Amino acid sequence: MNDAVKMDTPSATQSDVDFDAIIIGAGVSGLYQLYRARELGLRTRVFEAGPNVGGTWYWNRYPGARFDSESWSYGYSFSQELLDEWDWEEHFAGQPETERYLNYVADKFDLRRDIQFNAVVAAAHYQDDNHSWKITLDDGSHCTARFLITAVGVLSAAVMPRISGTDSFKGQSCHTHNWPTEPVSFEGKRVAVIGTGATGIQAITEIAKTAGHLTVFQRTAQWSAPLHNSKVTPEEMADIRKNYTDIFARCQETVGCFIHAADPRAALEVSEEEREAFWEQRYSEPGFGIWMGNFKDVLVDAEANQLMSDFLARKIRERVTDPAVAEMLIPKNHGFGTRRVPLESGYFEVFNQPNVKLVDVNENPIKCVTPDGIQTSDADYGFDIIIYATGFDAITGAFDRIDIRGVGGTSLKDKWADQPVTFLGIMVDGFPNFMMVMGPHAGLGNFPRAVEYTADWVAELIGHANTRNVTRIDATADAANAWTDHVVELNDGLLFTEVDSWMTGINRNVDGKDVRRIMRYSGGHPAFRRRCEAVSQGGYQELSMD
Ligand code: NA7
């Protein structure tokens, strides 16, 4: 074993491996999985590509980066002491506050001593002769572990656009995910932002406040709604603290683990006045209520969805003074909520500013980046700074970037080439002792709630195996196929499956990601929990154990 990976004394039961468990990633998932692994007494090592903890909240330090989940519903729930100690400053925390929070957690639970930073996992190969994984870092060092747990995030493999000349640009440029740690000044600068997803919308709103001139290159307009962020007063924090038990219980019972649950009424069964009043109310309230707490038919019934989209189009027309610009900002190729809804804090008004220009790249495609700026089909733009808010190779991208091989050398990337196949979104048949916290087929939503549940389930499974001297756990092919069929069926009738987005596996900047696939579990967290509990309480009959 290479020196870069330090080893503790092997335990009697697992003396043939360097570690009981390797976790990839020290973000929200990896930190908690490490905490649980420690409780089990596992000799654990976390490999983290970055120089510090935080994952998403370490890397995405672009201006305006913040939660769209209520902060106090997003924090960890597992430690009463932590809940008692941590005061949230904003209802929707910005990246610096969240990064501070995750550092606080790492320090409080003394997690860093088991984390190796700047450690990029290049390969992980299963070795059936001793039921272990051989993990190799990109510096060539390697080690072995009984269990391999991925906590690599859903949106961590950043992707640059397929535009030629990006390297030739003489000014400053970066992808929002790789934002520098030192402050960037936009004062008096000519700035370009390419991309108008959740990230672009946050960054554009903030950068427009100080940029000399900002040009936004938009390919797909978004149905975005107000965030309504505010400071948390001491009185509110005291109230939140009193109610944590109820808050987390509520999150467990909603589809996306948010505090917001769908309204039991259908948009089409109430009067027009009632509908409009409800939507006005949702539009004026903080957070995802407008998406997750909307009428129950808005995301499944095309007519209801059209009415909701019309409502939001009217809002955009009210807020944007130039009617031609307003029309450019109104999505035409998808309905409300069928892509991830970005929440905004004055985004549409940005386009009323004299220092901001919106360019539709469908009308005027970007031809290339030049040393001085960007050339489109109809103009040459000079820039000092170019920002790529072009998103991620979502969900499977971080897996694809590691050479993961299961029994017989089967590559995970190849196995998933057409469609991810998983068991509970946690295991993959033919990849024994391999567990994913928030892999493909996990439910998407208020991330830490699902993370805590999944990491607990994984820890319970490993505990079950260890107490029975089981050294090899694999999902059966039947179980994985049945689960995958179930995940696919759940998408019938959901409007979002008919739309290109990272949630349907589309990324036009990545080879092979141009066909829609079922990437996430759409049955909702309560149903997911019931499925997982049925497996654990049933004695893990869907798994083979030796
Ligand atoms: P997204 O939501 O994938 O957005 C990426 C944006 O970049 C989107 O508007 C893309 O347009 C655009 N894009 C990508 N390539 C190009 C080119 N070549 N030209 C113009 N525009 C381009 O990523 P985000 O980082 O904003 O958000 C990811 C998630 O993070 C978000 O949903 C939250 O959950 C947190 P497209 O839509 O593909 O036409």
Side-chain angles (χ1 to χ4, degrees):
M1 196 184 74
N2 188 293
D3 283 340
V5 179
K6 296 192 191 69
M7 189 178 101
D8 301 322
T9 313
S11 73
T13 50
Q14 311 224 325
S15 56
D16 54 342
V17 288
D18 300 328
F19 297 102
D20 299 325
I22 290 291
I23 298 168
I24 308 177
V28 171
S29 317
L31 290 177
Y32 181 59
Q33 189 68 71
L34 170 59
Y35 176 85
R36 295 291 282 122
R38 281 236 192 109
E39 277 189 336
L40 280 176
L42 302 182
R43 292 170 307 127
T44 307
R45 170 60 44 96
V46 178
F47 291 127
E48 164 55 51
N52 204 343
V53 298
T56 286
W57 299 107
Y58 172 82
W59 295 106
N60 289 276
R61 47 185 71 241
Y62 61 83
R66 70 172 60 253
F67 287 156
D68 286 339
S69 297
E70 287 73 6
S71 314
W72 31 270
S73 74
Y74 187 99
Y76 292 114
S77 70
F78 68 89
S79 159
Q80 189 57 49
E81 246 182 56
L82 178 62
L83 294 171
D84 289 343
E85 286 168 12
W86 184 262
D87 286 340
W88 288 102
E89 285 170 21
E90 292 185 89
H91 284 281
F92 300 88
Q95 178 273 336
E97 188 180 357
T98 310
E99 191 187 12
R100 270 200 310 280
Y101 172 73
L102 292 171
N103 274 277
Y104 183 83
V105 171
D107 291 336
K108 178 174 175 60
F109 299 104
D110 187 22
L111 298 176
R112 289 177 208 279
R113 68 183 153 89
D114 289 324
I115 305 174
Q116 186 170 327
F117 293 105
N118 304 305
V120 177
V121 176
H125 294 178
Y126 178 68
Q127 310 176 121
D128 212 20
D129 52 347
N130 67 346
H131 298 178
S132 72
W133 282 87
K134 179 180 176 191
I135 292 102
T136 307
L137 304 187
D138 70 351
D139 64 3
S141 60
H142 49 83
C143 65
T144 56
R146 178 76 67 230
F147 296 102
L148 173 62
I149 306 172
T150 61
V152 293
V154 170
L155 296 152
S156 54
V159 171
M160 287 287 283
R162 293 184 202 264
I163 300 173
S164 65
T166 51
D167 288 342
S168 72
F169 181 59
K170 289 190 302 206
Q172 276 180 285
S173 67
C174 76
H175 190 285
T176 45
H177 177 77
N178 299 319
W179 200 265
T181 44
E182 61 276 9
V184 178
S185 168
F186 302 100
E187 211 78 45
K189 301 271 173 60
R190 299 163 303 161
V191 184
V193 176
I194 302 177
T196 52
T199 299
I201 284 178
Q202 290 184 334
I204 288 161
T205 309
E206 201 54 34
I207 292 166
K209 291 176 183 166
T210 56
H213 193 277
L214 171 65
T215 308
V216 175
F217 293 89
Q218 172 187 277
R219 188 164 71 185
T220 304
Q222 300 281 356
W223 295 112
S224 190
L227 174 67
H228 297 299
N229 187 26
S230 58
K231 296 273 182 213
V232 178
T233 65
E235 296 72 35
E236 282 175 325
M237 194 60 234
D239 224 42
I240 289 164
R241 194 163 275 131
K242 262 196 295 192
N243 288 314
Y244 266 136
T245 307
D246 291 346
I247 291 167
F248 293 130
R250 179 169 172 78
C251 291
Q252 289 300 323
E253 294 311 320
T254 64
V255 167
C257 298
F258 294 102
I259 58 163
H260 310 281
D263 193 280
R265 296 167 300 164
L268 297 179
E269 73 190 19
V270 300
S271 69
E272 191 182 340
E273 292 71 38
E274 218 176 320
R275 199 161 55 218
E276 287 288 311
F278 177 75
W279 283 338
E280 284 293 350
Q281 187 195 333
R282 284 286 178 264
Y283 199 76
S284 68
E285 290 169 350
F288 270 141
I290 197 152
W291 191 24
M292 294 290 141
N294 213 313
F295 290 120
K296 66 177 183 188
D297 52 350
V298 160
L299 301 179
V300 291
D301 183 295
E303 195 184 335
N305 188 267
Q306 184 63 54
L307 290 170
M308 179 66 208
S309 302
D310 292 345
F311 171 86
L312 282 173
R314 287 198 293 280
K315 290 290 179 197
I316 296 172
R317 290 189 187 105
E318 282 166 20
R319 291 174 59 184
V320 178
T321 39
D322 181 334
V325 175
E327 288 317 304
M328 285 166 73
L329 290 165
I330 295 172
K332 305 291 188 303
N333 63 357
H334 66 283
F336 167 78
T338 60
R339 301 177 117 211
R340 199 283 203 182
V341 175
L343 296 182
E344 47 85 25
S345 306
Y347 175 66
F348 292 108
E349 286 75 10
V350 159
F351 297 95
N352 299 334
Q353 293 180 205
N355 66 332
V356 179
K357 179 182 169 70
L358 181 62
V359 175
D360 181 345
V361 301
N362 303 299
E363 295 283 315
N364 299 301
I366 295 174
K367 288 176 76 177
C368 61
V369 173
T370 67
D372 300 313
I374 292 178
Q375 192 183 350
T376 65
S377 59
D378 74 333
D380 264 325
Y381 295 88
F383 292 117
D384 304 304
I385 302 177
I386 300 178
I387 296 161
Y388 300 98
T390 45
F392 300 88
D393 184 0
I395 303 178
T396 48
F399 291 90
D400 289 351
R401 291 181 185 190
I402 304 171
D403 177 26
I404 300 172
R405 291 179 186 270
V407 174
T410 302
S411 142
L412 185 64
K413 186 175 177 183
D414 290 348
K415 185 174 172 82
W416 283 353
D418 296 331
Q419 160 77 50
V421 177
T422 76
F423 178 59
L424 300 175
I426 298 175
M427 299 190 74
V428 184
D429 62 298
F431 292 74
N433 300 352
F434 174 74
M435 287 101 175
M436 305 176 289
V437 183
M438 304 308 284
H441 296 172
L444 298 174
N446 191 20
F447 200 74
R449 301 282 68 77
V451 161
E452 283 185 337
Y453 182 79
T454 308
D456 286 349
W457 195 91
V458 166
E460 198 182 324
L461 172 59
I462 293 176
H464 176 95
N466 281 354
T467 52
R468 287 162 181 77
N469 281 327
V470 164
T471 54
R472 187 187 196 276
I473 313 170
D474 198 1
T476 65
D478 282 352
N481 292 335
W483 169 258
T484 301
D485 289 348
H486 168 63
V487 173
V488 169
E489 277 162 20
L490 283 170
N491 282 266
D492 285 350
L494 298 180
L495 298 174
F496 94 96
T497 58
E498 296 159 22
V499 170
D500 288 353
S501 80
W502 64 260
M503 292 199 292
T504 50
I506 297 289
N507 192 317
R508 289 192 256 163
N509 296 316
V510 180
D511 288 339
K513 303 260 165 123
D514 50 1
V515 176
R516 284 184 211 140
R517 285 164 301 152
I518 304 302
M519 303 292 277
R520 67 168 196 176
Y521 177 75
S522 301
H525 188 65
F528 175 70
R529 274 198 344 260
R530 281 196 295 276
R531 289 262 171 175
C532 291
E533 272 149 31
V535 173
S536 52
Q537 286 165 14
Y540 301 104
Q541 288 173 30
E542 297 81 354
L543 307 180
S544 65
M545 297 200 188
D546 311 307

PDB file of all heavy atoms in Angstrom, residues 155 161 163 194-200 219-220 339-340 361 389-392 502 508-509, ligand 1:
ATOM      1  N   LEU A 155     -24.925  16.376  -8.297  1.00  0.00           N
ATOM      2  CA  LEU A 155     -24.514  17.438  -9.224  1.00  0.00           C
ATOM      3  C   LEU A 155     -23.098  17.860  -8.859  1.00  0.00           C
ATOM      4  O   LEU A 155     -22.878  18.914  -8.261  1.00  0.00           O
ATOM      5  CB  LEU A 155     -25.484  18.623  -9.116  1.00  0.00           C
ATOM      6  CG  LEU A 155     -26.916  18.277  -9.550  1.00  0.00           C
ATOM      7  CD1 LEU A 155     -27.934  19.139  -8.833  1.00  0.00           C
ATOM      8  CD2 LEU A 155     -27.072  18.419 -11.048  1.00  0.00           C
ATOM      9  N   PRO A 161     -19.364  23.853 -21.788  1.00  0.00           N
ATOM     10  CA  PRO A 161     -20.138  23.721 -23.029  1.00  0.00           C
ATOM     11  C   PRO A 161     -19.249  23.290 -24.196  1.00  0.00           C
ATOM     12  O   PRO A 161     -18.033  23.476 -24.142  1.00  0.00           O
ATOM     13  CB  PRO A 161     -20.650  25.147 -23.253  1.00  0.00           C
ATOM     14  CG  PRO A 161     -19.657  26.024 -22.568  1.00  0.00           C
ATOM     15  CD  PRO A 161     -19.149  25.244 -21.397  1.00  0.00           C
ATOM     16  N   ILE A 163     -18.103  24.481 -26.861  1.00  0.00           N
ATOM     17  CA  ILE A 163     -17.859  25.714 -27.622  1.00  0.00           C
ATOM     18  C   ILE A 163     -16.358  25.787 -27.845  1.00  0.00           C
ATOM     19  O   ILE A 163     -15.581  25.631 -26.894  1.00  0.00           O
ATOM     20  CB  ILE A 163     -18.327  26.965 -26.833  1.00  0.00           C
ATOM     21  CG1 ILE A 163     -19.834  26.889 -26.534  1.00  0.00           C
ATOM     22  CG2 ILE A 163     -18.007  28.238 -27.609  1.00  0.00           C
ATOM     23  CD1 ILE A 163     -20.356  27.994 -25.624  1.00  0.00           C
ATOM     24  N   ILE A 194     -22.947  32.330 -19.460  1.00  0.00           N
ATOM     25  CA  ILE A 194     -23.587  31.364 -20.360  1.00  0.00           C
ATOM     26  C   ILE A 194     -24.328  30.355 -19.495  1.00  0.00           C
ATOM     27  O   ILE A 194     -23.730  29.706 -18.643  1.00  0.00           O
ATOM     28  CB  ILE A 194     -22.537  30.634 -21.235  1.00  0.00           C
ATOM     29  CG1 ILE A 194     -21.726  31.651 -22.051  1.00  0.00           C
ATOM     30  CG2 ILE A 194     -23.222  29.620 -22.151  1.00  0.00           C
ATOM     31  CD1 ILE A 194     -20.612  31.029 -22.885  1.00  0.00           C
ATOM     32  N   GLY A 195     -25.640  30.243 -19.698  1.00  0.00           N
ATOM     33  CA  GLY A 195     -26.428  29.283 -18.934  1.00  0.00           C
ATOM     34  C   GLY A 195     -27.375  29.978 -17.971  1.00  0.00           C
ATOM     35  O   GLY A 195     -26.995  30.913 -17.259  1.00  0.00           O
ATOM     36  N   THR A 196     -28.622  29.516 -17.984  1.00  0.00           N
ATOM     37  CA  THR A 196     -29.658  30.124 -17.138  1.00  0.00           C
ATOM     38  C   THR A 196     -30.439  29.044 -16.379  1.00  0.00           C
ATOM     39  O   THR A 196     -31.657  29.060 -16.321  1.00  0.00           O
ATOM     40  CB  THR A 196     -30.619  30.991 -17.984  1.00  0.00           C
ATOM     41  OG1 THR A 196     -31.095  30.186 -19.076  1.00  0.00           O
ATOM     42  CG2 THR A 196     -29.951  32.234 -18.518  1.00  0.00           C
ATOM     43  N   GLY A 197     -29.691  28.089 -15.804  1.00  0.00           N
ATOM     44  CA  GLY A 197     -30.312  27.132 -14.885  1.00  0.00           C
ATOM     45  C   GLY A 197     -30.400  27.778 -13.503  1.00  0.00           C
ATOM     46  O   GLY A 197     -30.262  28.999 -13.358  1.00  0.00           O
ATOM     47  N   ALA A 198     -30.603  26.949 -12.468  1.00  0.00           N
ATOM     48  CA  ALA A 198     -30.705  27.475 -11.100  1.00  0.00           C
ATOM     49  C   ALA A 198     -29.454  28.265 -10.734  1.00  0.00           C
ATOM     50  O   ALA A 198     -29.524  29.315 -10.086  1.00  0.00           O
ATOM     51  CB  ALA A 198     -30.913  26.322 -10.124  1.00  0.00           C
ATOM     52  N   THR A 199     -28.298  27.761 -11.174  1.00  0.00           N
ATOM     53  CA  THR A 199     -27.033  28.442 -10.878  1.00  0.00           C
ATOM     54  C   THR A 199     -26.952  29.775 -11.605  1.00  0.00           C
ATOM     55  O   THR A 199     -26.646  30.812 -11.003  1.00  0.00           O
ATOM     56  CB  THR A 199     -25.851  27.550 -11.320  1.00  0.00           C
ATOM     57  OG1 THR A 199     -25.902  26.330 -10.593  1.00  0.00           O
ATOM     58  CG2 THR A 199     -24.524  28.248 -11.088  1.00  0.00           C
ATOM     59  N   GLY A 200     -27.181  29.745 -12.919  1.00  0.00           N
ATOM     60  CA  GLY A 200     -27.092  30.974 -13.714  1.00  0.00           C
ATOM     61  C   GLY A 200     -28.005  32.049 -13.139  1.00  0.00           C
ATOM     62  O   GLY A 200     -27.609  33.214 -12.988  1.00  0.00           O
ATOM     63  N   ARG A 219     -30.126  29.689 -23.479  1.00  0.00           N
ATOM     64  CA  ARG A 219     -30.598  28.693 -24.450  1.00  0.00           C
ATOM     65  C   ARG A 219     -32.015  28.250 -24.108  1.00  0.00           C
ATOM     66  O   ARG A 219     -32.838  28.061 -24.995  1.00  0.00           O
ATOM     67  CB  ARG A 219     -29.648  27.488 -24.466  1.00  0.00           C
ATOM     68  CG  ARG A 219     -29.952  26.507 -25.574  1.00  0.00           C
ATOM     69  CD  ARG A 219     -28.803  25.558 -25.819  1.00  0.00           C
ATOM     70  NE  ARG A 219     -28.637  24.582 -24.740  1.00  0.00           N
ATOM     71  CZ  ARG A 219     -27.640  23.711 -24.682  1.00  0.00           C
ATOM     72  NH1 ARG A 219     -26.699  23.697 -25.612  1.00  0.00           N
ATOM     73  NH2 ARG A 219     -27.563  22.846 -23.691  1.00  0.00           N
ATOM     74  N   THR A 220     -32.286  28.087 -22.805  1.00  0.00           N
ATOM     75  CA  THR A 220     -33.634  27.687 -22.385  1.00  0.00           C
ATOM     76  C   THR A 220     -34.084  28.615 -21.255  1.00  0.00           C
ATOM     77  O   THR A 220     -33.406  28.708 -20.221  1.00  0.00           O
ATOM     78  CB  THR A 220     -33.636  26.225 -21.883  1.00  0.00           C
ATOM     79  OG1 THR A 220     -33.121  25.383 -22.917  1.00  0.00           O
ATOM     80  CG2 THR A 220     -35.040  25.765 -21.533  1.00  0.00           C
ATOM     81  N   ARG A 339     -39.069  21.039 -15.143  1.00  0.00           N
ATOM     82  CA  ARG A 339     -37.631  21.040 -14.882  1.00  0.00           C
ATOM     83  C   ARG A 339     -37.488  21.562 -13.453  1.00  0.00           C
ATOM     84  O   ARG A 339     -38.439  22.087 -12.886  1.00  0.00           O
ATOM     85  CB  ARG A 339     -36.907  21.983 -15.842  1.00  0.00           C
ATOM     86  CG  ARG A 339     -37.097  21.640 -17.298  1.00  0.00           C
ATOM     87  CD  ARG A 339     -36.394  22.670 -18.156  1.00  0.00           C
ATOM     88  NE  ARG A 339     -35.333  22.057 -18.918  1.00  0.00           N
ATOM     89  CZ  ARG A 339     -34.215  22.666 -19.283  1.00  0.00           C
ATOM     90  NH1 ARG A 339     -33.982  23.921 -18.932  1.00  0.00           N
ATOM     91  NH2 ARG A 339     -33.297  22.049 -19.998  1.00  0.00           N
ATOM     92  N   ARG A 340     -36.310  21.447 -12.892  1.00  0.00           N
ATOM     93  CA  ARG A 340     -36.067  21.921 -11.539  1.00  0.00           C
ATOM     94  C   ARG A 340     -36.366  23.430 -11.508  1.00  0.00           C
ATOM     95  O   ARG A 340     -35.822  24.187 -12.312  1.00  0.00           O
ATOM     96  CB  ARG A 340     -34.604  21.645 -11.211  1.00  0.00           C
ATOM     97  CG  ARG A 340     -34.249  21.635  -9.753  1.00  0.00           C
ATOM     98  CD  ARG A 340     -34.149  22.995  -9.164  1.00  0.00           C
ATOM     99  NE  ARG A 340     -33.295  22.949  -7.974  1.00  0.00           N
ATOM    100  CZ  ARG A 340     -33.065  23.995  -7.225  1.00  0.00           C
ATOM    101  NH1 ARG A 340     -33.611  25.156  -7.514  1.00  0.00           N
ATOM    102  NH2 ARG A 340     -32.279  23.896  -6.183  1.00  0.00           N
ATOM    103  N   VAL A 361     -29.476  32.285 -27.606  1.00  0.00           N
ATOM    104  CA  VAL A 361     -28.509  31.588 -28.463  1.00  0.00           C
ATOM    105  C   VAL A 361     -29.187  30.654 -29.465  1.00  0.00           C
ATOM    106  O   VAL A 361     -28.528  30.103 -30.346  1.00  0.00           O
ATOM    107  CB  VAL A 361     -27.430  30.816 -27.657  1.00  0.00           C
ATOM    108  CG1 VAL A 361     -26.656  31.747 -26.748  1.00  0.00           C
ATOM    109  CG2 VAL A 361     -28.031  29.658 -26.891  1.00  0.00           C
ATOM    110  N   ALA A 389     -22.070  28.902 -16.592  1.00  0.00           N
ATOM    111  CA  ALA A 389     -23.053  28.344 -15.635  1.00  0.00           C
ATOM    112  C   ALA A 389     -23.773  27.214 -16.361  1.00  0.00           C
ATOM    113  O   ALA A 389     -25.000  27.190 -16.462  1.00  0.00           O
ATOM    114  CB  ALA A 389     -24.023  29.428 -15.193  1.00  0.00           C
ATOM    115  N   THR A 390     -22.965  26.286 -16.890  1.00  0.00           N
ATOM    116  CA  THR A 390     -23.493  25.305 -17.842  1.00  0.00           C
ATOM    117  C   THR A 390     -23.795  23.942 -17.216  1.00  0.00           C
ATOM    118  O   THR A 390     -24.027  22.977 -17.943  1.00  0.00           O
ATOM    119  CB  THR A 390     -22.522  25.152 -19.027  1.00  0.00           C
ATOM    120  OG1 THR A 390     -21.182  25.054 -18.515  1.00  0.00           O
ATOM    121  CG2 THR A 390     -22.605  26.351 -19.947  1.00  0.00           C
ATOM    122  N   GLY A 391     -23.787  23.873 -15.893  1.00  0.00           N
ATOM    123  CA  GLY A 391     -24.343  22.702 -15.244  1.00  0.00           C
ATOM    124  C   GLY A 391     -23.430  21.489 -15.145  1.00  0.00           C
ATOM    125  O   GLY A 391     -22.199  21.590 -15.244  1.00  0.00           O
ATOM    126  N   PHE A 392     -24.076  20.341 -14.993  1.00  0.00           N
ATOM    127  CA  PHE A 392     -23.384  19.127 -14.571  1.00  0.00           C
ATOM    128  C   PHE A 392     -23.777  17.920 -15.422  1.00  0.00           C
ATOM    129  O   PHE A 392     -24.871  17.872 -15.968  1.00  0.00           O
ATOM    130  CB  PHE A 392     -23.746  18.820 -13.108  1.00  0.00           C
ATOM    131  CG  PHE A 392     -23.352  19.927 -12.177  1.00  0.00           C
ATOM    132  CD1 PHE A 392     -24.226  20.983 -11.924  1.00  0.00           C
ATOM    133  CD2 PHE A 392     -22.111  19.927 -11.586  1.00  0.00           C
ATOM    134  CE1 PHE A 392     -23.852  22.026 -11.075  1.00  0.00           C
ATOM    135  CE2 PHE A 392     -21.730  20.962 -10.740  1.00  0.00           C
ATOM    136  CZ  PHE A 392     -22.593  22.010 -10.491  1.00  0.00           C
ATOM    137  N   TRP A 502     -31.543  17.857 -16.778  1.00  0.00           N
ATOM    138  CA  TRP A 502     -30.596  16.964 -16.104  1.00  0.00           C
ATOM    139  C   TRP A 502     -31.337  15.883 -15.330  1.00  0.00           C
ATOM    140  O   TRP A 502     -30.803  14.799 -15.108  1.00  0.00           O
ATOM    141  CB  TRP A 502     -29.622  17.744 -15.227  1.00  0.00           C
ATOM    142  CG  TRP A 502     -30.177  18.498 -14.051  1.00  0.00           C
ATOM    143  CD1 TRP A 502     -30.439  19.831 -13.969  1.00  0.00           C
ATOM    144  CD2 TRP A 502     -30.496  17.958 -12.758  1.00  0.00           C
ATOM    145  NE1 TRP A 502     -30.905  20.157 -12.721  1.00  0.00           N
ATOM    146  CE2 TRP A 502     -30.951  19.021 -11.952  1.00  0.00           C
ATOM    147  CE3 TRP A 502     -30.444  16.676 -12.193  1.00  0.00           C
ATOM    148  CZ2 TRP A 502     -31.348  18.851 -10.619  1.00  0.00           C
ATOM    149  CZ3 TRP A 502     -30.848  16.504 -10.870  1.00  0.00           C
ATOM    150  CH2 TRP A 502     -31.288  17.584 -10.103  1.00  0.00           C
ATOM    151  N   ARG A 508     -26.477  17.876 -23.334  1.00  0.00           N
ATOM    152  CA  ARG A 508     -26.008  17.958 -24.724  1.00  0.00           C
ATOM    153  C   ARG A 508     -24.504  18.227 -24.814  1.00  0.00           C
ATOM    154  O   ARG A 508     -23.939  18.207 -25.890  1.00  0.00           O
ATOM    155  CB  ARG A 508     -26.789  19.049 -25.464  1.00  0.00           C
ATOM    156  CG  ARG A 508     -28.233  18.638 -25.725  1.00  0.00           C
ATOM    157  CD  ARG A 508     -28.874  19.590 -26.709  1.00  0.00           C
ATOM    158  NE  ARG A 508     -29.766  20.522 -26.059  1.00  0.00           N
ATOM    159  CZ  ARG A 508     -30.207  21.638 -26.610  1.00  0.00           C
ATOM    160  NH1 ARG A 508     -29.817  21.973 -27.827  1.00  0.00           N
ATOM    161  NH2 ARG A 508     -31.046  22.428 -25.965  1.00  0.00           N
ATOM    162  N   ASN A 509     -23.863  18.468 -23.667  1.00  0.00           N
ATOM    163  CA  ASN A 509     -22.411  18.684 -23.663  1.00  0.00           C
ATOM    164  C   ASN A 509     -21.635  17.409 -23.326  1.00  0.00           C
ATOM    165  O   ASN A 509     -20.421  17.449 -23.189  1.00  0.00           O
ATOM    166  CB  ASN A 509     -22.045  19.781 -22.651  1.00  0.00           C
ATOM    167  CG  ASN A 509     -22.641  21.126 -23.043  1.00  0.00           C
ATOM    168  OD1 ASN A 509     -22.582  21.501 -24.217  1.00  0.00           O
ATOM    169  ND2 ASN A 509     -23.239  21.827 -22.095  1.00  0.00           N
TER     170      ASN A 509
HETATM  171  P1  NA7 B   1     -28.480  23.315 -15.221  1.00  0.00           P
HETATM  172  O1  NA7 B   1     -29.780  23.454 -14.568  1.00  0.00           O
HETATM  173  O2  NA7 B   1     -28.160  22.057 -15.939  1.00  0.00           O
HETATM  174  O3  NA7 B   1     -28.300  24.559 -16.192  1.00  0.00           O
HETATM  175  C1  NA7 B   1     -27.258  24.642 -17.128  1.00  0.00           C
HETATM  176  C2  NA7 B   1     -27.569  25.772 -18.049  1.00  0.00           C
HETATM  177  O4  NA7 B   1     -26.527  25.902 -19.007  1.00  0.00           O
HETATM  178  C3  NA7 B   1     -28.852  25.551 -18.831  1.00  0.00           C
HETATM  179  O5  NA7 B   1     -29.497  26.788 -18.947  1.00  0.00           O
HETATM  180  C4  NA7 B   1     -28.308  25.081 -20.177  1.00  0.00           C
HETATM  181  O6  NA7 B   1     -29.199  25.265 -21.238  1.00  0.00           O
HETATM  182  C5  NA7 B   1     -27.117  25.965 -20.300  1.00  0.00           C
HETATM  183  N1  NA7 B   1     -26.158  25.556 -21.316  1.00  0.00           N
HETATM  184  C6  NA7 B   1     -25.439  24.425 -21.371  1.00  0.00           C
HETATM  185  N2  NA7 B   1     -24.675  24.428 -22.478  1.00  0.00           N
HETATM  186  C7  NA7 B   1     -24.925  25.587 -23.132  1.00  0.00           C
HETATM  187  C8  NA7 B   1     -24.459  26.165 -24.330  1.00  0.00           C
HETATM  188  N3  NA7 B   1     -23.564  25.537 -25.091  1.00  0.00           N
HETATM  189  N4  NA7 B   1     -24.941  27.366 -24.679  1.00  0.00           N
HETATM  190  C9  NA7 B   1     -25.844  28.003 -23.920  1.00  0.00           C
HETATM  191  N5  NA7 B   1     -26.328  27.509 -22.775  1.00  0.00           N
HETATM  192  C10 NA7 B   1     -25.873  26.308 -22.390  1.00  0.00           C
HETATM  193  O7  NA7 B   1     -27.287  23.514 -14.166  1.00  0.00           O
HETATM  194  P2  NA7 B   1     -27.241  24.489 -12.922  1.00  0.00           P
HETATM  195  O8  NA7 B   1     -25.850  24.496 -12.428  1.00  0.00           O
HETATM  196  O9  NA7 B   1     -27.873  25.781 -13.235  1.00  0.00           O
HETATM  197  O10 NA7 B   1     -28.164  23.805 -11.892  1.00  0.00           O
HETATM  198  C11 NA7 B   1     -27.951  22.465 -11.515  1.00  0.00           C
HETATM  199  C12 NA7 B   1     -28.687  22.167 -10.259  1.00  0.00           C
HETATM  200  O11 NA7 B   1     -27.897  22.598  -9.137  1.00  0.00           O
HETATM  201  C13 NA7 B   1     -29.969  22.850 -10.063  1.00  0.00           C
HETATM  202  O12 NA7 B   1     -31.023  22.304 -10.718  1.00  0.00           O
HETATM  203  C14 NA7 B   1     -30.109  22.803  -8.553  1.00  0.00           C
HETATM  204  O13 NA7 B   1     -30.681  21.578  -8.151  1.00  0.00           O
HETATM  205  C15 NA7 B   1     -28.742  22.931  -8.060  1.00  0.00           C
HETATM  206  P3  NA7 B   1     -30.289  24.084 -21.589  1.00  0.00           P
HETATM  207  O14 NA7 B   1     -31.272  24.142 -20.466  1.00  0.00           O
HETATM  208  O15 NA7 B   1     -29.508  22.791 -21.604  1.00  0.00           O
HETATM  209  O16 NA7 B   1     -30.817  24.472 -22.892  1.00  0.00           O
END
